[in-house]
Amino acid sequence: MAKERNIVVLISGSGSNLQALIDAQNTPSLPNARISLVFSNRKAAYGLIRASEAKPSIPTSYLALQPYLKANVGKTRADYDAEVARVVLKDSPDLVILAGFMHIFGEGFLERADALKPLVDGEQPRKPVPVI
């Protein structure tokens, strides 16, 4: 039997693309797959509710740019992207899907997804994770 692939899905809105992925899990369209996290940059994104109401429930996480910057004076957009990378990549997913995610990532995220930088200073970089 093939290894189950862990997928993290990033959303910003209603989650209609997310719902299609939830419905496709472990079908011929998306075999041996499990959505292990749904992340949003919008607290009110309905997709977070879709994930929590899925059977079985899918863990969710939320972090918005402006509240992050206000709570972390002196931090930058690159720091925010790095923090998102830490949340999204911490459990070593096999794939990250940007499903209607309305945020353009900079180097802070991309360097960590490509395993050019570690998630946490002092650690070794992990394996690269495809982001589509």
Side-chain angles (χ1 to χ4, degrees):
M1 180 172 217
K3 174 187 173 279
E4 183 177 69
R5 294 172 294 168
N6 286 317
I7 298 172
V8 173
V9 181
L10 281 65
I11 63 164
S12 289
S14 69
S16 56
N17 293 324
L18 168 66
Q19 188 63 56
L21 292 167
I22 291 170
D23 294 344
Q25 288 181 106
N26 296 311
T27 69
S29 298
L30 193 61
N32 305 314
R34 178 179 70 88
I35 299 172
S36 57
L37 176 69
V38 173
F39 176 90
S40 179
N41 63 328
R42 291 186 52 229
K43 188 176 188 176
Y46 185 70
L48 295 173
I49 294 170
R50 288 181 192 262
S52 65
E53 291 179 349
K55 301 293 182 227
S57 179
I58 301 168
T60 63
S61 186
Y62 149 79
L63 184 64
L65 175 60
Q66 290 306 317
Y68 172 83
L69 294 175
K70 287 179 183 173
N72 297 281
V73 177
K75 295 285 185 175
T76 65
R77 169 64 188 274
D79 294 320
Y80 169 80
D81 286 355
E83 184 60 29
V84 171
R86 281 188 274 285
V87 172
V88 168
L89 302 172
K90 72 176 178 178
D91 292 330
S92 300
D94 298 298
L95 179 65
V96 174
I97 299 175
L98 307 177
F101 189 65
M102 303 303 288
H103 182 94
I104 298 171
F105 283 123
E107 298 299 318
F109 182 90
L110 299 173
E111 289 177 335
R112 285 160 180 83
D114 288 341
L116 300 174
K117 286 190 173 179
L119 294 181
V120 178
D121 289 337
E123 282 187 354
Q124 291 295 319
R126 300 175 181 206
K127 67 177 172 98
V129 176
V131 178
I132 59 170

